[in-house]
Each structure stands twice: as structure tokens, then as C-alpha cells.
């Protein structure tokens, strides 16, 4: 069949770890980061930069300044949600590589509904826009989901194709029927700052972070404490066994992918309702690949998603400030995330794990 | 300008632009036949493209540039293959990592090496068959006037196909993807075969990325592959991993992409964004029409842990 | 005179009614002068651009012009490039914390985020193509009437084309470029109404998509265009490369010529195919803005047009016809005098309508 297993033969008891394997996972993640830093540092040296300066500047600007810390938290919110989206799909054994497209569709839906609700009260506007975002992202995933569930057409390819279609479609929409005619550059009508997500206290951090954390907690419970979550994980571990257990595999697969898309849509809604206030024609945040780095840094454990998201949020903000601070082009951080992913992927071979199960 | 001339030009453009994509897609098809799913093609093509551009700029030799591109592709392929087999690395994650690292890395290196400049290559490989096929209307000149590397690429595709279906090594490769346990049972070494497949695929991607930079474009700029790596995976699947079929679909895709330009020239008043959706929607429709129930190699994407690991 | 002296210790009760008035008056005397013009020191100016100055176009011209102005006025200039279209507020905050006195937001995509930032932080900003956002002491706007200069470019193209087919290739449809496309088409039509105009958009925000730019330009050349008016930023290199390859071994009369925008590429490899360029010169606008900020009259709309040389045509290539140069000079005078009025259409739909009117197919 066309499915590419997410687990690829890995023993599944690592998904719900006991205390010792949780500690081992954490150490592995840290080791992976350390290795990635070492390799990246080497590249910096070859390129003629001083890695110590670069990394110390990075930590200083992102974590040691209050403005930096606030920005990191702002960046963490969409990443946490995007990672959650990828993880939900991964738990069902599916690869959702179309997060970027789903974010775009969710964002434009939220922007339009939000602008339409501008006369309503703030909670109504938020609820309406976020609902639109979920629906937008979910709708965008329906075709790949059905193709995968019923006709076993690989979702990797279909979700990627839908990314490209999303870019063209949202561009056409925002330049044409959904455009704010009073402004010259194409964007949807603006949601005024006072109606967007409120800031927490005096900081730049906004309530979206609270929503994201709440969703994350809810998702964790759903995944590990509900029947539906159990079914999703069962299908992910072994579709054949799940079928034997009378679980409707096709339905679960379709629902999981659509749910994943809906979550990705929420990312778009979050960005529109917090920092952007509108959907602009040339906006492409590209959370998709970072979301994968996130999920695998968290060793596919839902509880580890938050710290992993914080780390990647730090890298995301770092990429913005490092060009000025240390003369390093922001593309370097994409390189770093890529190296991290490669190291994490290679960490399947863990000789220190031989005793706790698994055939290797 | 006559309709004929415009048609010829569009077909010629489609042939040229589909050539790097064709190499990448065929490379992926070969690798997938052995059970390796490589999503890192984009990164490999960018690295190969950058290396070939750099060397061609230095040495003024397109051939050398192409060769170093292939070498870079080969190296990355070997790394991918080794990690995926010996270390049982998760192939999808590995591939995405290679793509991310390759995209970021080449963008970073390009700025480091060239700063604010965007050097251009002049000249480019020659056209040895120019005018030979002019007797064939419309298509003839489109084929005949191509640069020599296009013919090399087609030869490689044909060679890849023959290798897969006619040679014993090709059979081993297909077995590694279809039935790895069976292969091992008859004495084959699944790991080595897969690494070999990754290497062959790597050479294809390397040539593809290099050809994009020094044959098709005449320069390299960060991100110049524009998603070709992912399209290659899609086209490989569409062509059911058979090199010749994959090549055909790639050509069709190239023509479809050129269609939006052709329609714009003809003055058809469709918004360009609509037209740009067509090739990608076309792939999805193609998958629905042709991909249902298609059997991919049974062991695609799965790590192979030896006969003892059979569950 | 101190208002308080009016409220000295007088015993009569009715004076007490004056106390609130006195306090108010003294308050006004001591409080900062909101709304009244005030001189500001300007030592540090920053510019934020979406892409990198390597594209030798939009981003480069803004940066280079500001740097030059900074050197002349002895002001420190901070450049932030590659800021993209994501949320740039952290960058703006970062600049603010470094003590920047004025921020130039060099992209129409920043048209809402920069005014919001200015109002929140109190730091003056300059936006482009958003005249509705101007605010005293806080937000100024630059309008680029490039359509006038591109009208001239259209005239040049119309006179210099040998095949009668001219192509306009763009890598996006931001308002600044749409103005130029329309102006170019009108200029072309004014001297060569029988010409064929090919209008090609490469992709969505494809400012760095040189590969597709090359393919599109090749198709346009195949369709017979021998003058290409290209707006691409980074993508322009693709266009130039297509022309470069086509022109190999051809005589100048048979070659395809390129009209560039915004920057001056005549010194580079690309220069050999350059007919002319619609140059954007921000120096006048930037100098005026900084002076206004210093004097306290900041918050206006600045227009760059043919008259103040904010936009103009680059000196023509040697292979251009001398008669063309004369004609263009005459037309320029007509525009400046108001005898010719060039349409100002910035949105994509309006652009297509106008193109259809001028060159129906």
C-alpha cells in the first residue's frame, strides 16, 4: 500500500513512557541539540565567524532581555499549535506536510470573518474568527484525507501539492474578491488593534499563548485519556491490529488528518488575530518544516511539545535579530534546524536503549 | 510571430525546464524502488546547484560544474542511504532535515561567498544537433535545438530504466524494496543494495540540481529549485516508479506549466494565479485517476532490521 | 511671567474661584507642547526592507539613497534587510530600543504595521503608498509617481522596437509596479498604437524567482518581443539572463533590449543589454523628511515625480537612436507642464482594464 509508516518499525511502547524512558528521551533531545550546535559551530568557523560570539549573542538577545523573552513567547504560540497539528497526524501514522497551506487558508478565513464581525463584541469576534480558521484548515485537508483514507493515495504528496494550490488560491482571493479597496497593497480589511488578542499585562505576549497552552493540554488529555485518542494511536501503531480490534480505520485516518488540518488553521487564525490583524498577499510564514523539527525534538511525546516549542521559538526570534547582532544571515537558523532534524532522525540507533525493549 | 514558432518555443521551453525535474524524479523513483523514500531532494539539488555554479564560474567549464554537482549529490545520497539503513533513521524526518539544511545552508553560503552580487554565467553548453530536425514541423526544432546535456539526461533516464528491469543488480534493487526478507534469504545484502540505490539516486539529483543551475538557468540563486524536489516525489509516484513513465509525466507537467505563460501571451484573460494552480491540481487529479490501488514497494519507508526482526 | 503670581495670597473669597484656573494655566505652562511644532534632533535613522539589497533594485535603491543622505547630513544609518512580510514589530522595537530617531519602512506591505508601531511607540516613521496614514510629527508618506517616468520609458520602447512587439514582465503586482506598467503602456500607445503588448506576471510575490523570470522572458522573446520592460527585483536577473542568452552572437539591431526599473545596473554584467532604466531617486525625499523632522513640520506626503527628479530615466544606451532622445526630452517637458496626463492606476484589476483598452486583443 501507499502508506509510509511514521513509526518505521520503532517499538511503540516508547510513546507512553515510564519515568526512566522519559528521562532518557529528554537526555537524547539535549544530546541532539548539543550535536547540532557542534556541527553548526563548525560550519560557522569554516565560514569565518566566531561561534561563541554568535551563540552567546543569540542567548543574550532572546532569553536574557525581557523584550527578547516576550518575543520568544510570541513565536512559541504558533509553533506549539503547528507542532500539535503535525503530532496528531503522526499519532495516526500520517504525515501532514501541508501545514503551510492549511495555515494560509485558516488565516484568510479568520481575517475575513474577523473583519466582518468588527462591530460585534471582542469575544464574539475571536470565537467567530477562530472557528473560521479551524474550518478553513480542516476543509483544506478534506481532499488529501479522503484520498488517503479510502484510496490509500499517499498523503505526503497530496498535502504538498495542496500547499502550492493554497498559495495561488489565497493570493487570488486577497488580490481580488477579498481585498480591502481602501488600501493600495493587497490585504484583507484590517481588524483594528484594540479588537485583536489582548496583551498579557504590559508585555508583547498576547492571550493567544494562553489559548494555545489550553488547546495543548486539552489535546494531551484527548490523546491519552479518551477512547477516540486511543483509537487514533492504535491505528498509528498497527492499522492491521486496529482493524482486527474493530476500529474503523478509514474513518479514524480521515478524521485525524482533518483534525490536524483544523489545528493548522488555528495557527493561521492566531497570527491574524494577534500580530497581523489582516491577511496580506505576500505573507508565507513557513511553519511547516519547523513543526516537524519540533515534533521530533519532543520525541513525539505530546507533553514535551511545549519545551520544544519554546526552544524553536527562541531560534525563530534569533533568526530575526542575529543579522544585526552578529552579522549572520537568518538562513543559518534554517540550516541549524535542518541539522537538528537530521541528528534526531539518526537517533533511531540508540545502543543504550537495548535493555528497555526494541529489537536493535 | 507565427503560431507555429510560438508553439515550438513553448515546447522547447517545456523540454528544457522539465529536464532537471525529470532527473530528480527518476532518481527518486529508483530510490523508492529499493524502499527508500527521500524527501531531501530539494536540499540535494540546491547543494549540487550551488557547487556546480561555483565551480563553473571559477573554471568556465560547464562539464566540470556538472560533474561536481553529481559528486555532491552522490555524497548526500550516500549519507542519506547510510543513515537510513545502518542507523535505521526515520527516512521522512531525515529527508525533511536534508531539505531544510540544504535550503538554509545554500542560502547562507551564497551570501557568505558572493555577498551582494549575483554573478551570471555566460555561454552555456552547446547545441550539437541544431537544425538537424527541422524537417519535423513544430516538434523537430524544439528537440533538435536543445543543449547537449538534455540528450545526456534522456540517456540517463533510459539507462536507469534498463538497469532496473534488465539487469540482475536492478532486480536486487527492486527486491530490496518489494521483499527485503526474500532478498536476504537468497543471499543478498539489503543494506548494501539500498545504499547503492541511494547513491544512484544521489547522482541523478546531483546532475538535476547542477543542470538546473548551469544548463537551464545560467546562474544560481537561493531557492532557485522552487519546490522541484517535492514535485519530483509526486511525479515519481504518479509514474508508478517506472523511469520512462515518470519521464513522460514530467514532460507533461512541464507543458502544463508552460501553458499558463502561453495563455497569457495569447491574451487569454484568466488571472495568472488560477493558471498557476493548474499543474499542481493536475498532479492531484492524476494521482486520483492513476494512483488508486497502485502497489508501492511493500517495504517503502520501512527500516529493515534483518530477518530476526520480522514480526 | 509665572501664572502663579496671579494667585498670590489674597484674602477675598471670590479669588478662590480662580484657583482651578490658575492651576490649569500653570499646568499648561509646565506641560510639554503637544501639537505645537518642536525641533527634534535626528542622529540615527533606520531603514527596514523586505528583501536584500543584493537584488540591486527596490531594496538596494532605498538603502543606498538613505546611506548617501546619511553621509551628507552626518547621520548614522542602520539597515535592516530581509525583514520579509512576517510581523516586523520586534525589529521595530529592537531599533527603538537602540535609540533610533526615524524609521523608514520601505515596502508597501508595511503600510499598516508601521503606522501602528508609530502610534504605540511615538517614534516617527515613513511609509510608502499610504497617504491616508499621515499624522503630524509621527507618520509621513512617500508617493512615487513613477508612472510619469515609465511613460517616457514606454515612448522609448515604442520608438526603438523593430519587431513591433514589446513585453512587460513583472514578478508581482504591488501598486508601485502597477503604476509603472500602466504608465509604460500609455507611453507606448502614444507613439506606437499598433504595437503588440505582452504583459506577463511571473508568480505570487515572486521577487526572487529568477528561474521563472527567465522562462517567462524566454517565452516573451519567442513570441516576438524585442524590448522587455522588466520589474523584478531579484527576479530581474532571470530576465536579463534570458536576454543575455538570446543576444549571444547577434548584432545590436537584432538583439533584445531591456528596460530596468528603480536601480542602475549599467555597471554590471547586465549593463550591455540595458536600453534605459526608470530610476527611483529617494535622496530628495529623504533629505526633505529629515529636515522636516528636525524643524518640527514632519508628517506630510512627499511625492517623487518627474518634476523634482525623484523619478527619471537613466541615460540611454549608446545604441539608442538620437532622435529618440530628443523626442523623450520633448515629451518630458509636456508631462511636467501638464499637457500630458498619465493615468495613476495602482490596483491589478484596474491595470488589466486599462491595458485592454489600450491594446485590445
Amino acid at each position: 500500500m501507499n502508506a509510509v509508516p511514521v513509526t518505521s518499525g520503532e517499538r511503540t511502547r516508547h510513546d507512553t513512557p515510564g519515568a526512566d524512558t522519559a528521562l532518557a528521551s529528554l537526555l537524547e533531545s539535549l544530546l541532539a541539540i548539543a550535536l547540532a550546535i557542534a556541527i553548526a559551530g563548525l560550519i560557522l568557523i569554516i565560514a569565518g565567524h566566531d561561534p561563541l560570539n554568535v551563540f552567546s549573542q543569540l542567548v543574550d538577545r532572546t532569553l536574557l532581555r525581557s523584550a527578547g523573552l516576550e518575543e520568544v513567547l510570541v513565536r512559541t504560540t504558533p509553533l506549539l499549535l503547528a507542532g500539535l497539528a503535525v503530532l496528531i497526524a503522526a499519532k495516526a501514522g500520517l504525515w501532514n506536510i501541508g501545514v503551510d497551506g492549511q495555515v494560509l487558508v485558516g488565516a484568510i478565513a479568520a481575517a475575513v470573518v474577523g473583519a466582518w464581525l468588527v462591530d460585534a463584541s471582542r469575544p464574539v469576534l475571536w470565537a467567530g474568527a477562530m472557528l473560521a480558521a479551524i474550518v478553513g484548515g480542516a476543509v483544506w485537508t478534506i481532499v488529501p484525507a479522503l484520498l488517503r483514507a479510502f484510496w490509500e493515495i499517499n498523503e505526503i504528496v497530496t498535502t504538498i501539492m495542496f500547499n502550492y494550490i493554497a498559495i495561488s488560491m489565497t493570493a487570488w482571493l486577497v488580490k481580488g474578491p477579498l481585498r480591502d479597496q481602501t488600501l493600495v497593497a493587497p490585504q484583507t480589511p484590517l481588524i483594528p488593534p484594540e479588537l485583536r488578542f489582548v496583551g498579557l499585562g504590559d508585555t508583547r505576549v498576547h492571550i493567544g499563548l494562553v489559548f494555545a497552552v489550553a488547546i495543548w493540554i486539552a489535546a494531551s488529555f484527548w490523546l491519552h485519556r479518551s477512547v477516540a485518542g486511543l483509537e487514533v494511536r492504535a491505528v498509528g501503531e498497527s492499522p492491521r491490529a486496529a482493524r482486527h480490534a474493530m476500529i474503523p480505520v478509514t474513518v479514524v485516518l480521515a478524521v485525524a488528518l482533518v483534525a490536524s488540518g483544523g489545528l493548522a488553521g488555528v495557527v493561521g487564525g492566531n497570527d491574524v488575530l494577534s500580530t497581523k490583524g489582516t491577511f496580506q498577499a505576500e505573507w508565507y510564514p513557513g511553519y511547516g518544516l519547523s513543526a516537524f523539527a519540533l515534533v521530533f525534538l519532543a520525541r513525539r511525546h505530546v507533553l514535551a511539545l511545549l519545551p520544544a516549542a519554546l526552544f524553536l521559538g527562541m531560534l525563530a526570534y534569533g533568526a530575526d535579530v542575529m543579522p544585526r547582532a552578529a552579522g549572520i544571515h537568518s538562513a543559518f537558523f534554517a540550516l541549524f534546524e535542518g541539522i537538528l532534524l537530521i541528528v534526531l532522525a539518526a537517533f533511531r540507533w540508540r545502543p543504550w536503549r537495548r535493555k528497555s525493549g526494541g529489537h536493535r | 510571430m507565427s503560431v507555429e514558432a510560438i508553439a515550438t518555443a513553448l515546447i522547447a521551453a517545456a523540454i528544457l525546464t522539465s529536464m532537471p525535474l525529470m532527473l530528480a524524479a527518476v532518481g527518486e523513483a529508483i530510490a523508492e524502488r529499493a524502499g527508500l523514500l527521500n524527501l531531501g531532494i530539494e536540499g540535494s539539488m540546491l547543494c549540487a546547484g550551488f557547487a556546480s555554479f561555483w565551480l563553473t564560474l571559477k573554471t568556465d567549464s560547464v562539464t566540470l560544474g556538472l560533474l561536481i554537482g553529481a559528486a555532491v549529490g552522490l555524497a548526500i545520497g550516500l549519507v542519506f542511504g547510510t543513515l537510513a539503513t545502518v542507523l535505521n533513521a526515520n527516512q521522512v524526518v531525515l529527508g525533511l532535515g536534508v531539505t531544510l539544511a540544504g535550503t538554509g545552508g545554500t542560502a547562507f553560503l551564497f551570501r557568505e561567498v558572493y555577498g551582494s552580487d549575483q554573478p551570471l554565467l555566460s555561454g552555456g553548453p552547446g547545441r550539437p544537433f541544431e537544425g538537424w530536425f527541422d524537417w519535423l514541423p513544430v516538434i523537430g526544432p524544439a528537440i533538435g535545438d536543445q543543449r547537449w546535456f538534455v540528450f545526456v539526461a534522456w540517456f540517463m533516464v533510459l539507462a536507469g530504466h534498463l538497469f532496473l528491469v534488465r539487469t540482475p543488480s536492478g532486480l536486487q534493487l527492486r527486491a530490496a524494496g518489494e521483499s527485503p526478507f526474500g532478498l536476504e534469504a537468497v543471499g543478498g545484502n539489503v543494506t548494501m543494495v539500498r545504499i547503492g540505490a541511494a547513491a544512484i539516486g544521489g547522482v541523478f539529483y546531483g546532475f538535476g540540481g547542477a543542470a538546473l543551475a548551469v544548463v537551464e538557468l545560467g546562474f544560481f540563486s537561493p531557492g532557485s529549485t522552487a519546490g522541484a524536489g517535492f514535485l519530483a516525489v509526486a511525479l515519481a509516484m504518479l509514474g508508478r516508479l517506472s523511469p520512462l513513465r515518470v519521464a513522460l509525466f514530467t514532460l507533461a507537467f512541464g507543458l502544463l506549466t508552460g501553458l499558463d505563460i502561453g495563455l497569457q501571451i495569447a491574451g487569454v484573460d484568466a488571472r495568472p494565479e488560477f493558471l498557476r494552480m493548474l499543474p499542481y491540481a493536475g498532479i492531484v487529479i492524476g494521482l486520483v485517476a492513476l494512483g488508486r490501488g497502485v502497489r508501492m514497494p511493500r517495504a517503502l519507508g520501512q527500516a529493515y532490521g534483518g530477518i530476526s526482526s520480522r514480526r | 511671567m509665572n501664572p502663579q503670581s496671579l494667585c498670590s495670597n489674597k484674602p477675598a473669597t471670590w479669588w478662590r474661584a480662580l484657583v482651578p484656573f490658575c492651576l490649569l494655566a500653570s499646568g499648561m505652562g509646565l506641560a510639554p507642547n503637544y501639537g505645537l511644532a518642536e525641533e527634534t534632533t535626528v542622529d540615527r535613522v533606520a531603514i527596514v526592507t523586505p528583501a536584500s539589497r543584493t537584488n540591486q533594485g527596490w531594496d538596494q535603491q532605498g538603502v543606498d539613497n538613505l546611506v548617501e543622505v546619511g553621509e551628507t547630513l552626518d547621520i548614522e544609518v542602520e539597515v535592516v534587510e530581509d525583514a520579509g512580510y512576517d510581523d516586523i514589530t520586534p525589529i521595530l522595537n529592537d531599533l527603538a530600543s537602540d535609540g533610533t530617531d526615524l524609521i523608514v519602512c520601505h515596502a508597501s506591505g508595511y503600510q499598516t504595521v508601521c503606522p501602528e508601531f508609530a502610534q504605540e511607540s511615538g517614534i516617527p516613521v515613513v511609509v510608502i503608498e499610504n497617504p491616508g496614514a499621515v499624522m503630524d510629527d509621527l507618520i509621513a508618506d512617500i508617493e512615487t509617481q513613477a508612472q510619469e517616468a515609465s511613460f517616457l520609458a514606454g515612448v522609448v520602447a515604442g520608438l526603438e522596437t523593430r519587431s513591433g512587439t514589446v513585453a512587460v514582465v513583472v514578478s508581482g503586482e504591488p501598486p508601485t509596479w502597477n503604476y509603472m506598467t500602466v504608465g509604460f503602456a500609455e507611453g507606448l500607445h502614444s507613439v506606437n498604437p499598433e504595437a503588440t503588448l505582452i504583459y506577463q506576471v511571473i508568480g505570487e510575490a515572486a521577487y526572487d524567482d529568477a528561474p521563472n523570470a527567465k522562462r517567462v522572458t524566454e517565452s516573451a522573446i519567442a513570441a516576438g518581443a524585442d524590448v522587455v520592460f522588466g520589474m523584478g527585483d531579484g527576479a530581474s536577473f532571470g530576465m536579463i539572463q534570458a536576454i543575455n542568452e538570446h543576444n549571444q552572437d547577434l548584432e545590436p539591431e537584432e538583439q533584445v533590449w531591456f528596460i530596468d526599473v528603480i536601480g542602475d545596473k549599467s555597471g554590471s554584467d547586465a549593463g550591455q543589454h540595458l536600453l534605459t532604466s526608470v530610476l527611483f531617486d529617494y535622496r530628495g525625499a529623504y533629505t526633505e523628511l529629515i529636515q522636516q523632522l528636525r524643524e518640527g513640520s514632519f508628517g506630510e506626503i512627499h511625492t517623487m515625480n518627474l518634476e523634482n527628479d525623484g523619478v527619471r530615466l537613466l541615460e540611454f544606451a549608446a545604441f539608442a537612436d538620437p532622435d529618440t532622445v530628443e523626442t523623450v526630452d520633448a515629451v518630458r517637458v509636456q508631462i511636467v507642464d501638464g499637457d500630458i496626463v498619465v493615468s495613476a492606476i495602482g490596483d491589478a484589476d484596474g491595470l488589466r482594464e486599462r491595458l485592454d483598452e489600450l491594446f485590445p486583443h
Side-chain angles (χ1 to χ4, degrees):
Chain A
M1 57 152 133
N2 278 341
V4 178
V6 177
T7 51
S8 286
E10 185 177 72
R11 290 298 286 230
T12 55
R13 70 176 78 153
H14 297 160
D15 275 349
T16 42
D20 58 337
T21 44
L23 182 61
S25 292
L26 175 64
L27 288 177
E28 280 167 10
S29 298
L30 292 176
L31 182 60
I33 294 177
L35 211 55
I37 291 178
I39 298 174
L42 200 60
I43 295 176
L44 281 176
I45 293 178
I46 297 176
H49 295 274
D50 175 9
L52 287 177
N53 176 42
V54 172
F55 290 125
S56 66
Q57 282 271 8
L58 176 67
V59 172
D60 173 51
R61 294 224 161 203
T62 56
L63 299 178
L64 300 183
R65 300 188 187 187
S66 62
L69 207 49
E70 290 171 22
E71 261 323 299
V72 169
L73 289 174
V74 171
R75 297 306 172 94
T76 302
T77 309
L79 284 171
L80 178 61
L81 292 168
L84 206 50
V86 169
L87 186 65
I88 301 264
K91 289 291 183 186
L94 299 166
W95 300 97
N96 181 5
I97 316 217
V99 167
D100 288 331
Q102 293 142 23
V103 167
L104 286 180
V105 177
I108 201 171
V112 167
V113 171
W116 182 59
L117 287 174
V118 113
D119 295 320
S121 68
R122 210 159 47 178
V124 171
L125 191 153
W126 291 357
M130 287 312 257
L131 198 58
I134 296 174
V135 169
V139 162
W140 204 242
T141 333
I142 288 182
V143 172
L146 293 178
L147 289 182
R148 170 68 174 85
F150 291 100
W151 288 328
E152 295 189 344
I153 293 178
N154 194 304
E155 73 281 4
I156 295 178
V157 174
T158 47
T159 49
I160 292 178
M161 290 301 114
F162 269 80
N163 273 344
Y164 292 113
I165 298 176
I167 295 174
S168 293
M169 191 190 76
T170 53
W172 169 70
L173 284 174
V174 77
K175 286 186 182 181
L178 298 179
R179 204 178 121 213
D180 181 349
Q181 304 288 343
T182 64
L183 288 171
V184 178
Q187 59 181 64
T188 58
L190 195 67
I191 300 173
E194 54 277 11
L195 290 177
R196 296 179 211 161
F197 280 172
V198 285
L200 299 176
D202 213 8
T203 66
R204 284 253 314 151
V205 187
H206 55 81
I207 203 169
L209 180 64
V210 174
F211 293 154
V213 171
I215 294 176
W216 168 66
I217 294 176
S220 314
F221 269 99
W222 177 80
L223 209 49
H224 289 285
R225 297 267 187 271
S226 76
V227 175
L230 179 66
E231 291 187 343
V232 165
R233 282 183 295 125
V235 167
E237 288 169 17
S238 170
R240 219 181 324 143
R243 221 170 257 128
H244 278 251
M246 307 299 275
I247 295 177
V249 172
T250 41
V251 174
V252 169
L253 285 177
V255 169
L257 196 53
V258 171
S260 172
L263 265 175
V266 172
V267 176
N270 168 75
D271 274 8
V272 163
L273 283 178
S274 59
T275 52
K276 298 283 293 183
T278 175
F279 182 89
Q280 273 187 322
E282 305 178 343
W283 176 67
Y284 188 78
Y287 295 121
L289 286 181
S290 299
F292 270 90
L294 217 171
V295 166
F296 283 88
L297 185 60
R299 315 305 281 156
R300 285 186 295 124
H301 298 157
V302 66
L303 288 179
L305 274 186
L306 185 56
L310 281 165
F311 180 68
L312 284 180
M314 179 186 104
L315 287 181
Y317 178 57
D320 265 357
V321 284
M322 290 313 278
R324 284 182 62 225
I328 299 284
H329 192 266
S330 50
F332 178 75
F333 291 89
L335 172 62
F336 180 78
E337 279 183 26
I339 295 173
L340 188 59
L341 259 182
I342 294 174
V343 170
L344 287 168
F347 264 24
R348 182 65 54 72
W349 177 72
R350 291 167 298 200
W352 57 88
R353 284 270 193 143
R354 285 238 170 85
K355 277 186 252 170
S356 61
H359 281 303
R360 45 210 77 92
Chain B
M1 253 236 166
S2 71
V3 175
E4 253 193 25
I6 296 183
T8 304
L10 288 178
I11 296 177
I15 293 178
L16 182 63
T17 60
S18 62
M19 181 261 298
L21 191 56
M22 188 183 296
L23 287 173
V26 168
E28 174 68 4
I30 294 175
E32 283 190 19
R33 279 290 186 115
L36 294 173
L37 179 66
N38 186 356
L39 292 180
I41 305 175
E42 185 87 353
S44 308
M45 285 178 80
L46 282 169
C47 289
F50 179 62
S52 66
F53 175 66
W54 173 80
L55 191 61
T56 306
L57 207 57
K58 265 192 168 329
T59 63
D60 233 5
S61 160
V62 167
T63 315
L64 281 181
L66 289 167
L67 287 175
I68 200 178
V72 168
L74 175 67
I76 298 179
L78 281 174
V79 169
F80 180 87
T82 313
L83 288 179
T85 52
V86 174
L87 297 189
N88 275 325
N90 187 317
Q91 292 173 20
V92 174
V93 179
L94 192 57
L96 290 179
V98 171
T99 290
L100 197 51
T103 311
T106 49
F108 175 67
L109 277 180
F110 188 83
R111 294 284 156 75
E112 291 284 318
V113 173
Y114 295 113
S116 307
D117 285 334
Q118 171 64 66
L120 301 173
L121 293 174
S122 53
R127 306 164 196 270
F129 304 122
E130 196 155 11
W132 283 32
F133 297 97
D134 279 353
W135 45 268
L136 188 60
V138 179
I139 305 181
I143 297 179
D145 293 352
Q146 295 289 349
R147 302 183 185 274
W148 59 262
F149 190 75
V150 173
F151 300 101
V152 170
W154 287 352
F155 175 75
M156 283 176 65
V157 169
L158 187 61
H161 179 86
L162 291 174
F163 168 77
L164 268 186
V165 305
R166 294 289 166 109
T167 64
S169 319
L171 180 61
Q172 284 206 333
L173 200 152
R174 286 182 285 137
E178 202 56 61
S179 172
F181 301 108
L183 178 63
E184 189 163 315
V186 300
N189 185 333
V190 173
T191 305
M192 290 313 290
V193 168
R194 283 189 172 171
I195 294 181
I200 296 175
V203 169
F204 271 82
Y205 314 141
F207 271 124
L212 180 68
V214 304
V215 176
E216 185 193 340
L217 296 179
F219 61 89
F220 176 86
S221 65
S224 48
T225 47
F230 294 118
L231 287 172
V233 177
L235 288 164
M237 209 163 275
L238 204 53
R240 275 173 276 159
L241 303 188
S242 150
L244 292 181
R245 263 201 298 263
V246 169
L248 209 62
F249 279 112
T250 313
L251 200 54
F253 182 80
L255 286 167
L256 208 56
T257 321
L259 190 67
D260 85 318
I261 300 174
L263 287 178
Q264 279 190 53
I265 291 183
V268 172
D269 224 0
R271 280 227 61 118
E273 294 87 21
F274 259 141
L275 299 177
R276 263 190 293 281
M277 276 195 255
L278 285 182
Y280 304 106
I283 289 187
V284 176
I285 294 173
L287 281 172
V288 174
L290 301 167
R292 263 183 290 167
V294 159
R295 286 186 66 254
M296 302 295 276
R298 224 177 277 129
L300 182 63
Q302 289 178 18
Y304 178 68
I307 286 196
S308 55
S309 75
R310 181 153 202 168
R311 286 186 277 168
Chain C
M1 175 177 78
N2 188 345
Q4 290 285 45
S5 64
L6 287 171
C7 311
S8 52
N9 292 324
K10 301 279 171 146
T13 350
W14 65 273
W15 279 68
R16 304 222 178 139
L18 280 181
V19 168
F21 174 78
C22 296
L23 288 174
L24 181 60
S26 61
M28 278 173 63
L30 294 169
N33 269 327
Y34 288 117
L36 296 179
E38 173 184 323
E39 294 181 2
T40 328
T41 43
V42 180
D43 291 318
R44 220 180 133 84
V45 182
I47 180 169
V48 181
T49 68
S52 156
R53 73 184 101 173
T54 58
N55 62 29
Q56 294 185 17
W58 173 263
D59 307 76
Q60 179 217 29
Q61 200 65 3
V63 168
D64 284 353
N65 286 162
L66 187 64
V67 166
E68 209 179 302
V69 167
E71 276 166 18
T72 318
L73 298 179
D74 199 22
I75 295 177
E76 216 180 304
V77 173
E78 173 90 43
V79 174
V80 179
E81 34 183 5
D82 272 323
Y85 290 102
D86 229 347
D87 181 31
I88 60 166
T89 319
I91 295 175
L92 298 174
N93 280 329
D94 209 25
L95 289 169
S97 68
D98 279 346
T100 310
D101 300 310
L102 172 68
I103 303 181
V104 177
C105 298
H106 194 57
S108 54
Y110 299 155
Q111 64 192 2
T112 42
V113 64
C114 275
E116 279 176 24
F117 167 79
Q119 287 174 49
E120 234 185 77
S121 67
I123 300 198
V125 300
V126 180
V127 296
I128 61 161
E129 313 292 348
N130 192 359
V134 294
M135 201 174 287
D136 274 344
D137 290 327
L138 215 49
I139 304 168
D141 175 59
I142 297 181
E143 296 288 310
T144 316
Q145 298 296 324
Q147 64 273 14
E148 294 178 346
S150 62
F151 185 95
L152 295 179
V155 169
V156 175
L159 294 173
E160 293 285 333
T161 175
R162 293 130 285 152
S163 68
T165 306
V166 175
V168 177
V169 181
V170 302
S171 64
E173 292 182 313
T176 318
W177 291 3
N178 293 345
Y179 287 128
M180 286 196 277
T181 304
V182 172
F184 182 85
E186 291 187 346
L188 176 64
H189 189 262
S190 73
V191 294
N192 198 343
E194 303 301 309
T196 308
L197 179 67
I198 300 174
Y199 175 63
Q200 293 272 35
V201 182
I202 299 171
E204 283 334 306
Y207 304 115
D208 279 326
D209 195 355
N212 268 323
K214 181 169 188 268
R215 290 169 194 149
V216 168
T217 310
E218 282 170 349
S219 307
I221 296 175
D226 65 352
V227 178
V228 176
F229 182 45
M231 292 174 258
D233 275 353
S236 298
F237 290 110
M239 303 177 204
I240 292 168
Q241 186 68 321
I243 295 174
N244 191 20
E245 286 184 6
H246 180 266
N247 285 352
Q248 294 282 326
D249 307 322
L250 289 180
E251 296 297 310
E253 306 85 62
E254 300 168 317
Q255 286 181 358
V256 173
W257 294 336
F258 186 66
I259 300 181
D260 194 17
V261 294
I262 303 174
D264 179 2
K265 294 190 177 70
S266 54
S268 68
D269 272 350
Q272 47 185 312
H273 312 293
L274 201 62
L275 182 55
T276 179
S277 172
V278 177
L279 211 59
F280 282 17
D281 191 347
Y282 290 93
R283 289 174 300 174
Y286 288 159
T287 311
E288 206 178 53
L289 281 163
I290 293 176
Q291 259 160 15
Q292 283 186 345
L293 187 60
R294 282 180 165 160
E295 291 161 13
S297 56
F298 186 79
E300 314 257 305
I301 302 174
H302 297 256
T303 313
M304 285 162 49
N305 56 25
L306 217 51
E307 194 174 347
N308 60 26
D309 256 358
V311 286
R312 61 178 183 276
L313 281 193
L314 188 64
E315 219 176 81
F316 293 2
F319 49 77
D321 194 345
D323 285 338
T324 309
V325 180
E326 267 189 50
T327 313
V328 167
D329 279 339
V331 173
R332 182 180 176 278
V333 172
Q334 284 183 294
I335 297 179
V336 172
D337 286 343
D339 294 333
I340 298 180
V341 176
V342 184
S343 306
I345 299 176
D347 69 300
D349 285 328
L351 178 155
R352 279 164 205 281
E353 261 179 54
R354 186 74 179 118
L355 291 185
D356 268 341
E357 273 171 24
L358 295 168
F359 297 99
H361 28 66

